[in-house]
Amino acid sequence: MFRDLLDALGLNPVILAAGAAGGLLRALSSKQHSLRERIVSPLCGALAAGYLTAPGVHMLRTLSVPLPFDNAQATFGAVGFLIGVSAMWISDALMVLVLRRLGRAG
């Protein structure tokens, strides 16, 4: 049933796990983050990896980055992990941009 839900949402459990692991690494690697950020980081990493890994791999291939074709699962897992590590940073940067835009508009 859970697998069916993930399939309906277009999410791969392996990529979700890779992104969550990346988010967990980010949460554990810095003492500057709040407890909220440490809890949310693996969740954010998993969701970001779930939806951004396929476009990320496609972009890397478009840029002619040499990626192994014989083990696509490992490639997707590695890219998902990297997206998971950087997902909170990306979301923080996007929130700053949105808040700046709203501040200028108001």
Side-chain angles (χ1 to χ4, degrees), residues 17-86:
L24 182 63
L25 174 68
R26 182 210 181 257
L28 296 174
S29 66
S30 176
K31 297 179 193 284
Q32 298 175 10
H33 302 299
S34 68
L35 179 61
R36 179 192 62 85
E37 289 175 321
R38 290 178 189 266
I39 293 170
V40 172
S41 188
L43 298 172
C44 184
L47 285 174
Y51 288 112
L52 297 176
T53 297
V57 170
H58 177 73
M59 184 177 65
L60 291 173
R61 287 193 177 131
T62 301
L63 295 172
S64 299
V65 174
L67 299 173
F69 283 99
D70 58 340
N71 196 350
Q73 187 72 14
T75 301
F76 275 77
V79 172
F81 179 81
L82 293 174
I83 289 172
V85 168
S86 59

Side-chain angles (χ1 to χ4, degrees), residues 98-106:
V98 167
L99 291 175
R100 283 184 187 166
R101 179 74 62 155
L102 291 175
R104 289 183 189 160

Side-chain angles (χ1 to χ4, degrees), residues 4-20:
D4 295 334
L5 175 65
L6 292 177
D7 286 341
L9 294 173
L11 297 170
N12 181 334
V14 174
I15 294 173
L16 286 177

